[in-house]
């Protein structure tokens, strides 16, 4: 038990920083205009990690952490990774970011087909499992993040966060309306 605890601490306190550096290096090579760091490790201790970074890179680092963790644990079903991603503006007070709710949603995930709990990521207010049988849902989200980022690049500028917030607000409204009346015709935005 002590060896497992040390191994997990080494992974989350050390290897995760290396993985963040890998994502940053890859991102900077593709986008040479970025000289500053794009992912910051705020806290790492035990099996907890708190990262801050560019919204479209967080799913990538999450997937990389999950893949490496699976290799470390030989994909043992009782050792899982749950991740919650909250989107906030650059000037938003970090202590008020609602990442804890996103993490709780991911931890609340339950796969009846695989009899597995947790082991999921919450991104854009939706929970996606990590495991291969349901991985397509998260891959779909990553593709949308890449598409939105590419679409927003004009003259070396990033996708505007304000537009993403509007899109998320519209989707939240649509979900609320659908819950109220599942038979109602859903409009397109």
């Amino acid at each position: 038990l002590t060896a497992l605890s040390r191994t997990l601490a080494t992974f989350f306190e050390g290897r995760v920083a290396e993985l963040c550096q890998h994502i940053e290096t890859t991102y900077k090579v593709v986008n040479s205009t970025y000289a500053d760091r794009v992912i910051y490790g705020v806290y790492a201790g035990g099996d907890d990690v708190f990262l801050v970074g560019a919204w479209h890179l967080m799913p990538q680092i999450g997937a990389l952490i999950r893949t490496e963790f699976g290799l470390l644990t030989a994909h043992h079903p009782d050792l899982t990774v749950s991740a919650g991603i909250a989107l906030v503006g650059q000037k938003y007070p970090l202590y008020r970011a609602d990442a804890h709710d996103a993490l709780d949603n991911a931890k609340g995930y339950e796969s009846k087909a695989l009899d597995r709990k947790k082991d999921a990521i919450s991104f854009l207010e939706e929970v996606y499992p990590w495991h291969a049988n349901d991985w397509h849902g998260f891959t779909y989200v990553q593709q949308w993040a890449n598409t939105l980022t590419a679409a927003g690049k004009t003259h070396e500028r990033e996708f505007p966060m304000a537009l993403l917030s509007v899109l998320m607000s519209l989707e939240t409204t649509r979900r609320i309306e659908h819950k109220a009346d599942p038979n109602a015709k859903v409009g397109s935005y």
Side-chain angles (χ1 to χ4, degrees), residues 20-47:
C20 289
Q21 183 65 40
H22 170 74
I23 293 289
E24 283 184 338
T25 302
T26 304
Y27 183 70
K28 286 178 190 175
V29 167
V30 173
N31 301 287
S32 59
T33 58
Y34 287 88
D36 297 332
R37 295 191 65 193
V38 290
I39 300 174
Y40 295 91
V42 175
Y43 172 79
D47 64 349

Side-chain angles (χ1 to χ4, degrees), residues 38-164:
V38 290
I39 300 174
Y40 295 91
V42 175
Y43 172 79
D47 64 349
D48 292 325
V49 175
F50 183 67
L51 303 174
V52 175
W55 72 272
H56 59 286
L57 296 180
M58 299 315 287
Q60 291 178 30
I61 190 62
L64 189 56
I65 290 169
R66 174 58 179 94
T67 299
E68 292 272 330
F69 185 78
L71 294 172
L72 175 71
T73 62
H75 302 285
H76 193 285
D78 291 333
L79 299 171
T80 62
V81 172
S82 297
I85 299 174
L87 301 181
V88 296
Q90 285 181 325
K91 296 180 181 180
Y92 194 83
L94 193 56
Y95 71 91
R96 296 195 61 196
D98 214 4
H100 193 268
D101 287 347
L103 180 59
D104 284 346
N105 289 339
K107 285 182 175 183
Y109 171 79
E110 187 171 343
S111 172
K112 291 175 179 50
L114 296 176
D115 192 30
R116 186 180 278 186
K117 293 183 181 182
K118 301 181 181 183
D119 206 28
I121 182 170
S122 176
F123 181 59
L124 300 178
E125 300 181 17
E126 198 66 44
V127 177
Y128 300 93
W130 292 117
H131 36 82
N133 292 352
D134 294 323
W135 185 256
H136 67 277
F138 182 70
T139 304
Y140 175 76
V141 169
Q142 278 188 302
Q143 289 170 350
W144 265 109
N146 293 339
T147 299
L148 292 172
T149 303
K153 286 195 179 208
T154 56
H155 307 292
E156 301 299 325
R157 292 182 61 202
E158 289 292 317
F159 184 83
M161 182 65 113
L163 182 55
L164 183 61

